[in-house]
Amino acid sequence: MPLDDALAARMAEPDFWPVYLFDDDAPDVYCDDAEDQESHVTRFGTGGGFALVLELTLALEYVDLDLEAPGLPEPANVGWDDQAHFHPHVMPWRELDLLCRAVALHDAELRHPGPMLALLCRFAFLAENDDLDTVTPLVDAAFEAVRPGAAGGGKVRAETREWFDLRNLRGTGLVWTTRADGYDAVGQDGTDGLPLYSLRTPSSEEFPFAAWSALLTFARGRTAAAAADPVLARPAVREALDRCLAADGHEHLRALADALAAAGYGNRVLLRAVADPVDRAEACWAVETLAGLPQGELVARWFGPSPLSGSRSWRLSLSLPVRGRPERFGPQAAEQLNAALQAANLGSAGLGGSSLHPEDGGYVLAEQHLDILIRDDLARGVEVVSRVLHTHAAAGTATLRPQGKPDVIPLRPPT
C-alpha cells in the first residue's frame, strides 16, 4: 500500500517538516476545535499481515506508532513522541533499516531511503553496535528525497544531525537482555547522557514482544529471498556484482543492471534500484541485498567515514534568576543564546520551564530554566553561553549544569 495521498501531499508543503520534527521555529498550526485538528494515518506494510501504522496529529505535536501483526486482535502501540511524556525509543537503527528494506521490497512505491525512513527515524535510536558510517548516508538520502536541499561541504543534513543529537544512546549504559519468554528487551544501567524512554524494557507488559519478533523474522526472510534467486549465481551476473562490491562499485552499476536484465532477474524493485536509483544509497542497499552482505557493510565502503564520526553532544540545564528583571528577559536571553550558539555552529538553546516563588499571598516568576545543547566542543559552547550571560550581567547568578547532574559548570568572564 503506497503512502497515504493526503499525507504525501501534506509532506510537500513547506511547513510540514518543521512541525513534524518539533522544530523550535515551526509555525503554529494549533486549532481550538478538536474535531478540526489536522491528523494523518499511514501504513507501512511488509506483507504477511505485518504493518507499522503511523498516526500524527500535527497541531498537538503528537506522533504515534502501532504494530499490526497476525495474532494481534488490534494494533498494538509500540511508541509515541510528543513534547511531554514521550516514549520514542522503539528500535535500534538496524531494525528500522531492515524494516524499510522489507517494505520497499513489498511495495515498489515506497522506495528506500525515502518517506518511511524520514518519518520513522524518530522511533529509532543509535545503540552501541551502530556504526555511523553505515547510518548517515541513508538518513541523509531519506531527507533529501522528501525535503530536497543540498547539505553541502561534505556535511550531514541538518535533519540528520538533529536526529543524531536526539537519538544517540551509544555510551549511555544500554543493556540488552533476553526475557524469560525468549524475546530481547532493552534497559539502561544508569546514564551518562540521554535517558532511555521505551516500552521495550525487560519488565514491560505493554510492548508486543512476540509480534515484534515475528515482524523482524518476516522482514529478514523477505530480504533473504531476494538474494536467493539462482540467476544471481550465473557467472556474468556474479562478475558484475563482484565489481560493485569495491569502494568504487557505484561506478559499475550500469554493467550490473545490464547483466541482471539479460539473465532475467525478476525482482523489479532491486533491478530498478540498481538501474535507476534516486540516490546512490538506494543502489547501495540493493547491491548489499543481492550480494547477501551484512546490513551496512557496503554503505560504509561506498560512502567512507561519516562526517559525524567523533561527534558528541552535551545537554545542559541553565537556571536563570529573573526576579527584578524585565518581563521578557528570560525569553530574550534564550533567543540570544540560541542565535549565538547556532551562529558558531555549536548547538542551540530554548526555554524549558520556570519556577515560581510565593510573594505577598501569591506567586511571582523567580527563575527561567533553559535547555542548552552543545555540539562537539563543550568548552567553546560554554564560552558562548558565558559571553551572552555576562553581556546581561546575569552570569553571576545563573547556574549551568549537565542535565540531571549536580555538577556546576563555571561561567567565567570572556577573555
Side-chain angles (χ1 to χ4, degrees):
M1 179 180 180
L3 193 69
D4 176 77
D5 289 342
L7 178 57
R10 186 68 176 90
M11 286 167 57
E13 297 177 10
D15 69 330
F16 174 82
W17 287 102
V19 173
Y20 181 76
L21 297 174
F22 302 163
D23 286 353
D24 291 336
D25 57 354
D28 185 5
V29 294
Y30 180 76
C31 176
D32 288 330
D33 190 340
E35 293 184 359
D36 292 334
Q37 297 282 10
E38 180 186 0
S39 62
H40 299 272
V41 179
T42 197
R43 297 174 71 258
F44 300 104
T46 63
F50 294 97
L52 291 175
V53 183
L54 179 72
E55 181 174 1
L56 53 127
T57 306
L58 294 178
L60 299 180
E61 297 183 315
Y62 189 87
V63 186
D64 191 77
L65 187 64
D66 290 348
L67 170 64
E68 291 180 358
L72 289 179
E74 58 185 21
N77 184 235
V78 292
W80 69 92
D81 198 14
D82 58 19
Q83 296 277 51
H85 305 293
F86 41 80
H87 273 62
H89 300 137
V90 176
M91 56 192 134
W93 160 258
R94 290 178 59 82
E95 291 183 3
L96 176 60
D97 182 28
L98 169 67
L99 294 175
C100 287
R101 296 179 186 210
V103 168
L105 288 168
H106 176 65
D107 186 344
E109 294 191 40
L110 286 172
R111 303 180 77 155
H112 175 55
M116 179 178 175
L117 181 57
L119 288 166
L120 297 192
C121 67
R122 71 189 315 147
F123 292 107
F125 56 88
L126 291 166
E128 293 301 338
N129 60 345
D130 287 321
D131 181 354
L132 288 171
D133 296 351
T134 74
V135 175
T136 50
L138 295 175
V139 181
D140 269 354
F143 280 107
E144 181 64 28
V146 299
R147 199 181 185 187
K155 303 293 185 181
V156 297
R157 288 183 60 99
E159 302 93 341
T160 305
R161 179 70 210 227
E162 291 290 339
W163 174 74
F164 171 80
D165 290 334
L166 289 170
R167 298 292 185 263
N168 181 24
L169 298 185
R170 300 176 305 162
T172 67
L174 291 188
V175 178
W176 288 91
T177 59
T178 302
R179 292 167 28 118
D181 55 15
Y183 300 115
D184 291 335
V186 63
Q188 197 172 42
D189 186 11
T191 180
D192 188 22
L194 293 174
L196 175 74
Y197 293 105
S198 180
L199 294 178
R200 199 173 171 177
T201 55
S203 60
S204 174
E205 297 181 359
E206 301 172 72
F207 191 82
F209 287 98
W212 188 265
S213 179
L215 166 68
L216 296 177
T217 298
F218 185 89
R220 293 187 190 100
R222 183 170 284 283
T223 57
D229 193 317
V231 163
L232 298 176
R234 294 184 183 179
V237 173
R238 191 68 240 180
E239 181 181 350
L241 187 56
D242 287 344
R243 284 199 297 271
C244 289
L245 302 185
D248 64 349
H250 51 89
E251 298 178 3
H252 305 286
L253 289 171
R254 173 47 55 189
L256 175 58
D258 291 344
L260 289 169
Y265 182 67
N267 190 303
R268 64 189 182 100
V269 170
L270 294 180
L271 189 57
R272 179 188 61 188
V274 172
D276 187 26
V278 293
D279 187 279
R280 187 196 301 179
E282 182 183 25
C284 193
W285 80 261
V287 173
E288 273 186 358
T289 301
L290 291 166
L293 293 181
Q295 246 178 281
E297 181 175 312
L298 191 60
V299 178
R301 199 177 303 163
W302 276 17
F303 288 88
S306 166
L308 288 178
S309 295
S311 294
R312 289 194 61 188
S313 301
W314 293 267
R315 293 190 173 271
L316 313 178
S317 296
L318 178 67
S319 296
L320 189 63
V322 295
R323 293 178 77 172
R325 298 276 192 173
E327 183 179 353
R328 284 277 302 158
F329 175 70
Q332 287 175 347
E335 291 167 6
Q336 292 180 19
L337 283 167
N338 185 58
L341 287 167
Q342 290 195 354
N345 196 30
L346 285 170
S348 60
L351 288 173
S354 59
S355 296
L356 302 177
H357 284 188
E359 185 175 290
D360 298 330
Y363 290 88
V364 297
L365 181 64
E367 283 186 331
Q368 295 271 197
H369 304 294
L370 279 63
D371 295 326
I372 310 287
L373 168 69
I374 294 179
R375 294 169 170 162
D376 299 331
D377 192 329
L378 179 61
R380 283 186 58 217
V382 171
E383 285 178 9
V384 170
V385 173
S386 180
R387 183 172 65 249
V388 172
L389 294 178
H390 276 279
T391 300
H392 292 282
T397 56
T399 305
L400 185 65
R401 291 186 173 93
Q403 281 190 3
K405 294 188 176 181
D407 311 343
V408 175
I409 300 174
L411 294 167
R412 298 186 175 91
T415 56

